[in-house]
Amino acid sequence: MSETGIGAAVRRVEDKRFLTGRGKYIDDIDQRGQLYAWMLRSPHAHARINGVDTATASQAPGVVAIFTGADMAADEVGGIPCAWQIHNKDGSPMHEPPHPPLAVDKVRHVGDQVAVVIAETKAQARDAAELIAVDYDVLPAAIDMDLALADNASLVHDDVPNNLCFDWEIGDKDATEAAFAKADHVVSIDIVNNRLIPNAMEPRAAIAQYEPSNGNYTLHTTTQNPHVIRLLMGAFVLQIPEHKLRIIAPDVGGGFGSKIFHYAEEAILTWASAKVPQPIKWTAERSESFITDAHGRDHETHAELAMDKGGNFLGLRVSTKANIGAYLSTFGAAVPTYLHGTLMAGVYTTPAIYCEVKTVFTNTVPVDAYRGAGRPECTYLLERLVTKAAREIGMDPVEIRQKNMIQPDQFPYQTPVALEYDVGNYPASLDTALQASDYAGFEKRRAESESNDKRRGIGISTYIEACGIAPSAVAGALGARAGLYESAQVRVHPTGSVTVYTGSHSHGQGHETTFAQLVSESFGIPIEQVEIKHGDTGEVQFGMGTYGSRSIAVGGPAILKACNKIIDKATKIVAHILEASESDIEFKDGKFTVSGTDREMAFAEVSLAAYVPHNYPIEELEPGLDENAFYDPLNFSYPAGCHICEVEIDPETGDVDITNFTAVDDVGRVINPMIVEGQVHGGLAQGIGQALLEGCVYDDSGQLLTGSYMDYTMPRADNLPNLNVGTQSVLGASNPLEVKGVGEVGAIGSPPAVINAILDALAPLGVDDISMPATSAKVWQAIQNA
Amino acid sequence: MPTVSMTVNGKSVSAEVEPRTLLVQYLREHLGLTGTHVGCDTSQCGACVVHVNGESAKSCTILAMQVEGADVATIEGLADGDTLHPMQEAFRENHGLQCGFCTPGVVMSALDLVRTNADPSEREVREWLEGNLCRCTGYHNIVKSILAGAKAMQG
Ligand code: FES
Ligand code: FES
């Protein structure tokens, strides 16, 4: 291992600029002659628009233009597309109702855009927006999923009966019925996966700019995938060809999924920038983020597990309702289906599984991927159910897991729900976590707590997830409308320093460091010689972006592939210059040697020869040392692991104190252990936040009751414990870097561990269920009701 | 428009501002000091924390005119040329930041803690951070960084 290569805890390259206030987030950027946009948003969850009167507002000081949905419609601007098409049980495609960027005839959630005001200052734009008169006919709102599915429900989209977007299934229904028919025990559970608001700390923002002299558009936007935005917005919404549209996502302050999607504001600003034509900037206020950033989770599920006498799993039946909000967001349809139903085997050998998902339109903000996306919902369900099953048949929660786990010699393992797990060692993660959490000493600690009138519990979650959706052909067969490969360009400069252009995007993950480590390792050069560029479609050839823990699993191998092309070419150059056969050239520690001799060339000597080709195999090779690679993985990668949570509850107040949280994750090869731990910490905080604190609440009329940090409980430093995090890895088998991905594991594995711990603590009091978030009020009430 | 004058990172500055201008707007939009961030509109995230006369303050919650004559310090003023302040260095060393958006506010806030409590306990750090939200780090490494930074500052 070189000092800055694979496996080294290299301190982050990006930190100095962030720590000195020199990061460049979008709101930090200004363009000459820039105007400001303010979005007029619907105060109603559901209303018909009879008219929008902008006459007075247009006269307000500083106002340059005001546009409404009618203006965009007149220009034949397209709707915001969904990138994934799901099919119903009967094979028909899902409903895809139109999603105009500015509402035309109806508004469908509080926060839906009705008009954009463009003015010289932000304050002027905002002041003028208050002068716009919108004539609304308020309609009843469809909020609760069961009510939305009812025959007399108000329709979010007039042509989508029962608000049912699609009714999907996976698995073998008959085989599952047969398994239940011969079961000795059936355990069932009804579970709600609480709706969450992602809350990246940087609010979304954008600056659109049009250059009339050449017809070029530039959009700076807070996105996790600039090329995807260029494709979706350029091709489907605004009909701007790729070479005329540049998307730049500079420093982005967190995403967690919420900045994957193509948002209406991006299209509105870009379109309006050509009308004005001056640069236009828009920065969301946090209150706008709450009502416009796509939300996460929001599933209601009934599930049943069939077992034989010995507690062996025979079958699993799952029926889920998933809230998709008012419109289909970019990946909204994929989350409750291919990122949820396909994981229902978990780490277990359950032979028969059937899962059906009804996805429902409601008058709420669109729901889409949020850290984990579908996999936390699946894991929460399975791990609650398995723990409940253990309790009902009187078996230890560890034993029931060990008994039903896929064993290390069973790989590759074909699950009954489409996925084939490549490698893993689930019992090993469980064992390591049991030791790291001192599971054996728990009863002693429980007794101590009880002597202090406290209740102590311990909860386990053994999870699996799937990262780096791939290969593209499979994703396509499942309904993806794009490929899911990644691209990289490795440009070696004449004096041997390197610039890498990656299609992945970093918004906190530290790619500038981790990816540079790959190159440092590959070329045997110090990390200071490597610069990673991302986030600009004008610089980076192409890319599918960062989500689903795909950057290292898909983006990493693309970089490695380009590095290998460089080494191949360099080898040919060296063979020519040193007059040796290519097969005799060895490359190690940054040096090419002719094996068995002392003839050698340093990496930088070769790059110089490539750019100053005086002695060069010019007949066979082009000059230069600059290679492109596109990498499409063989399979998903499958991180897995075990999370164990221990809590102490004060029954007087319902206060839950996490006394210990242990996470043992199998993430494959670790490139930078410091960054990997940080990713797990962050994921755990979001998972623990979901379990204990966070929950999005709408009232029946569709008003968001948790629309600020005063009402939506974000985890703060004093809500969280120190986290005991470790990895226990089996090298990945789906890519040449042998990595698996780490961004989401924390948020996926942790919620059921927390809730299982709470229920373990409260079981002696007769509490057998509690929903997330398990706030102190809810815990106290559960104790009172028991 | 009224004129407001103050010292920012040791330099005297003066400008005409609309009376409703917030200190954070003044720093970001008039002085181009964009290291101080805005993460909310209810005074709860702490991304905007700066020092006013040596004490931490949420610059989104103060009008520029309220700090007439004051001594204001922002994240941009901390490092000594190319050398990071020990607290900044502690964050780098302990991976106390990910996306970096909350970081300036967290660092400025941490320095105010250390000013009044040179050797804080882990619990004290966690409680002090009540006014700073971070969505990336789970706070684990922020807490570790502040404890290390406080030690380094003791010297
Ligand atoms: S911007 Fe959130 S507290 Fe100041
Ligand atoms: S580092 Fe991203 S919010 Fe704190």
Side-chain angles (χ1 to χ4, degrees):
Chain A
M1 180 174 91
S2 82
E3 247 173 72
T4 56
I6 292 176
V10 178
R11 298 302 183 261
R12 297 201 323 168
V13 174
E14 40 277 87
D15 284 359
K16 197 161 179 188
R17 77 171 180 276
F18 294 138
L19 280 164
T20 52
R22 301 200 169 276
K24 274 277 167 279
Y25 304 90
I26 289 190
D27 195 57
D28 303 341
I29 298 169
D30 286 319
Q31 307 290 356
R32 192 180 287 273
Q34 167 181 297
L35 303 170
Y36 295 81
W38 180 264
M39 300 291 158
L40 179 69
R41 300 185 180 281
S42 170
H44 307 295
H46 197 195
R48 207 163 289 286
I49 302 174
N50 295 325
V52 184
D53 181 354
T54 59
T56 317
S58 305
Q59 302 308 312
V63 171
V64 174
I66 300 178
F67 299 109
T68 65
D71 298 316
M72 290 189 90
D75 246 16
E76 294 182 8
V77 168
I80 308 285
C82 180
W84 207 292
Q85 188 181 45
I86 299 297
H87 288 82
N88 288 298
K89 288 174 180 166
D90 67 6
S92 59
M94 67 184 187
H95 284 287
E96 286 188 80
H99 180 188
L102 281 171
V104 179
D105 52 344
K106 282 219 290 192
V107 285
R108 295 184 172 85
H109 66 88
V110 170
D112 212 353
Q113 299 77 220
V114 176
V116 57
V117 182
I118 298 159
E120 280 158 20
T121 69
K122 186 170 178 175
Q124 287 171 332
R126 184 182 193 156
D127 290 347
E130 292 190 7
L131 303 173
I132 297 177
V134 187
D135 178 7
Y136 290 112
D137 265 348
V138 177
L139 302 167
I143 303 298
D144 174 86
M145 283 195 276
D146 284 323
L147 298 179
L149 286 168
D151 284 338
N152 58 353
S154 180
L155 293 182
V156 180
H157 299 276
D158 298 347
D159 52 356
V160 180
N162 297 85
N163 293 307
L164 182 63
C165 179
F166 59 79
D167 185 6
W168 174 88
E169 65 181 351
I170 193 167
D172 187 334
K173 193 172 186 180
D174 295 339
T176 308
E177 296 305 327
F180 275 82
K182 63 174 193 215
D184 296 302
H185 303 283
V186 172
V187 179
S188 70
I189 198 163
D190 285 288
I191 227 162
V192 174
N193 205 286
N194 44 329
R195 184 177 179 121
L196 302 176
I197 304 182
N199 275 304
M201 290 317 300
E202 178 206 21
R204 286 190 297 117
I207 307 170
Q209 214 173 339
Y210 174 71
E211 177 47 58
S213 67
N214 56 17
N216 287 352
Y217 292 84
T218 305
L219 176 71
H220 284 76
T221 183
T222 45
T223 183
Q224 303 176 207
N225 32 232
H227 290 86
V228 174
I229 301 302
R230 186 180 65 172
L231 187 68
L232 292 175
M233 185 175 82
F236 296 94
V237 188
L238 299 178
Q239 284 83 46
I240 305 169
E242 274 101 336
H243 68 298
K244 291 285 169 197
L245 177 57
R246 178 176 179 188
I247 310 286
I248 303 175
D251 288 328
V252 172
F256 317 111
S258 71
K259 291 173 181 166
I260 299 172
F261 324 120
H262 174 34
Y263 284 96
E265 292 88 351
E266 295 169 324
I268 297 168
L269 249 62
T270 305
W271 172 81
S273 71
K275 299 274 166 205
V276 196
Q278 268 170 274
I280 310 171
K281 181 175 188 172
W282 168 78
T283 305
E285 311 233 310
R286 179 58 59 184
S287 309
E288 285 181 280
S289 310
F290 273 99
I291 52 170
T292 64
D293 291 4
H295 293 176
R297 318 280 192 257
D298 208 350
H299 285 193
E300 290 174 18
T301 297
H302 175 77
E304 293 164 311
L305 180 65
M307 290 178 287
D308 69 10
K309 271 197 195 64
N312 296 300
F313 301 166
L314 303 176
L316 174 72
R317 213 157 39 192
V318 178
S319 176
T320 292
K321 288 188 293 267
N323 195 337
I324 201 143
Y327 300 102
L328 276 166
S329 168
T330 309
F331 283 116
V335 175
T337 51
Y338 290 106
L339 295 174
H340 174 245
T342 53
L343 271 298
M344 286 296 165
V347 294
Y348 310 112
T349 54
T350 319
I353 299 176
Y354 177 71
C355 170
E356 56 184 352
V357 178
K358 281 189 169 57
T359 295
V360 190
F361 285 114
T362 59
N363 291 112
T364 63
V365 173
V367 179
D368 206 326
Y370 166 62
R371 203 170 196 163
R375 291 150 290 169
E377 294 88 320
C378 171
T379 301
Y380 181 62
L381 161 70
L382 282 178
E383 294 304 301
R384 286 280 316 269
L385 185 56
V386 166
T387 300
K388 187 173 182 197
R391 185 170 294 282
E392 287 193 9
I393 64 170
M395 193 180 273
D396 184 272
V398 174
E399 192 191 338
I400 199 170
R401 287 176 165 84
Q402 283 167 335
K403 188 178 233 225
N404 286 286
M405 264 179 183
I406 300 163
Q407 297 301 309
D409 60 4
Q410 287 181 280
F411 293 98
Y413 182 83
Q414 177 63 52
T415 74
V417 276
L419 299 181
E420 184 185 80
Y421 300 164
D422 51 3
V423 283
N425 189 343
Y426 314 136
S429 304
L430 174 60
D431 281 348
T432 308
L434 290 172
Q435 282 180 21
S437 62
D438 186 23
Y439 193 80
F442 171 72
E443 285 306 330
K444 192 162 158 262
R445 296 191 292 278
R446 170 149 30 206
E448 272 165 34
S449 293
E450 282 182 11
S451 66
N452 294 322
D453 294 327
K454 299 276 177 60
R455 296 285 166 178
R456 189 174 276 263
I458 195 160
I460 301 178
S461 153
T462 42
Y463 73 91
I464 186 164
E465 65 139 327
C467 294
I469 310 175
S472 293
V474 171
L478 301 181
R481 286 168 164 155
L484 284 160
Y485 47 82
E486 196 46 87
S487 100
Q489 182 177 11
V490 173
R491 178 174 297 167
V492 182
H493 302 290
T495 55
S497 65
V498 180
T499 307
V500 177
Y501 300 88
T502 169
S504 303
H505 185 274
S506 183
H507 29 282
Q509 294 87 342
H511 294 167
E512 288 168 49
T513 309
T514 305
F515 287 172
Q517 287 180 252
L518 298 182
V519 179
S520 167
E521 175 88 23
S522 188
F523 292 158
I525 56 177
I527 201 170
E528 294 75 25
Q529 295 278 314
V530 186
E531 175 108 341
I532 305 294
K533 298 271 200 185
H534 65 90
D536 182 348
T537 64
E539 280 188 337
V540 178
Q541 57 292 347
F542 200 70
M544 295 310 295
T546 288
Y547 42 84
S549 308
R550 69 191 302 277
S551 297
I552 199 64
V554 191
I559 294 174
L560 187 68
K561 197 171 164 189
C563 287
N564 287 338
K565 288 186 182 179
I566 296 275
I567 295 170
D568 286 349
K569 183 170 178 182
T571 303
K572 292 195 170 80
I573 300 171
V574 173
H576 173 88
I577 295 175
L578 297 184
E579 297 175 346
S581 143
E582 262 174 59
S583 56
D584 288 338
I585 307 294
E586 281 173 16
F587 180 55
K588 208 169 157 254
D589 300 330
K591 280 201 179 74
F592 293 87
T593 17
V594 182
S595 49
T597 75
D598 58 0
R599 280 180 296 156
E600 62 176 37
M601 278 181 85
F603 185 71
E605 289 179 279
V606 185
S607 59
L608 193 65
Y611 286 95
V612 187
H614 293 164
N615 175 13
Y616 195 82
I618 204 84
E619 307 276 286
E620 312 152 38
L621 281 184
E622 294 168 19
L625 209 48
D626 189 347
E627 296 287 347
N628 246 317
F630 280 69
Y631 172 76
D632 201 3
L634 306 169
N635 189 354
F636 289 79
S637 63
Y638 297 97
C642 177
H643 292 182
I644 299 183
C645 178
E646 192 165 327
V647 298
E648 192 180 62
I649 297 175
D650 182 343
E652 293 294 309
T653 61
D655 192 49
V656 177
D657 181 23
I658 295 183
T659 57
N660 192 1
F661 198 103
T662 305
V664 174
D665 300 296
D666 174 355
V667 299
R669 185 182 300 289
V670 170
I671 310 294
N672 183 324
M674 177 190 82
I675 289 179
V676 161
E677 278 195 14
Q679 287 294 307
V680 176
H681 292 154
L684 292 177
Q686 289 177 350
I688 294 170
Q690 168 165 33
L692 293 182
L693 303 164
E694 298 180 42
C696 168
V697 182
Y698 277 98
D699 72 8
D700 294 343
S701 71
Q703 293 296 331
L704 179 65
L705 300 183
T706 50
S708 83
Y709 290 141
M710 289 184 287
D711 319 288
Y712 186 88
T713 318
M714 292 275 281
R716 291 177 187 265
D718 55 355
N719 301 128
L720 292 170
N722 257 313
L723 302 163
N724 180 8
V725 161
T727 54
Q728 147 111 27
S729 290
V730 177
L731 295 180
S734 67
N735 63 70
L737 269 178
E738 301 173 318
V739 293
K740 294 183 182 172
V742 67
E744 296 163 297
V745 293
I748 291 170
S750 56
V754 177
I755 299 297
N756 285 339
I758 294 174
L759 291 175
D760 183 51
L762 301 184
L765 302 175
V767 175
D768 61 1
D769 190 23
I770 196 148
S771 63
M772 300 193 290
T775 58
S776 0
K778 220 186 256 177
V779 170
W780 183 85
Q781 197 61 55
I783 296 170
Q784 303 309 307
N785 294 350
Chain B
M1 284 198 288
T3 302
V4 65
S5 308
M6 62 187 89
T7 307
V8 177
N9 299 332
K11 264 193 231 140
S12 309
V13 291
S14 173
E16 281 191 359
V17 296
E18 263 195 77
R20 63 175 161 179
T21 307
L22 298 167
L23 176 58
V24 68
Q25 288 176 304
Y26 179 68
L27 294 170
R28 291 178 55 81
E29 294 164 22
H30 292 253
L31 303 182
L33 294 171
T34 55
T36 303
H37 298 150
V38 177
C40 74
D41 46 11
T42 50
S43 196
Q44 277 157 323
C45 75
C48 62
V49 171
V50 298
H51 293 173
V52 176
N53 295 329
E55 287 184 29
S56 61
K58 287 180 170 170
S59 63
C60 72
T61 315
I62 315 171
L63 296 169
M65 295 186 62
Q66 283 174 285
V67 297
E68 170 69 34
D71 188 7
V72 175
T74 72
I75 190 76
E76 286 92 344
L78 270 194
D80 179 7
D82 224 23
T83 311
L84 294 179
H85 183 283
M87 187 59 83
Q88 290 170 313
E89 187 55 42
F91 271 72
R92 203 185 73 84
E93 188 55 33
N94 293 286
H95 190 26
L97 63 152
Q98 291 184 22
C99 79
F101 195 79
C102 71
T103 310
V106 172
V107 169
M108 296 310 277
S109 185
L111 286 173
D112 196 25
L113 167 67
V114 177
R115 182 180 62 85
T116 50
N117 181 354
D119 186 18
S121 67
E122 186 205 317
R123 196 67 231 164
E124 285 170 327
V125 172
R126 287 188 180 274
E127 275 163 18
W128 178 265
L129 286 178
E130 174 60 27
N132 291 88
L133 286 175
C134 172
R135 193 55 151 170
C136 296
T137 63
Y139 305 99
H140 184 103
N141 285 345
I142 289 183
V143 174
K144 203 165 144 194
S145 302
I146 295 176
L147 292 171
K151 267 228 165 63
M153 284 168 69
Q154 280 184 330

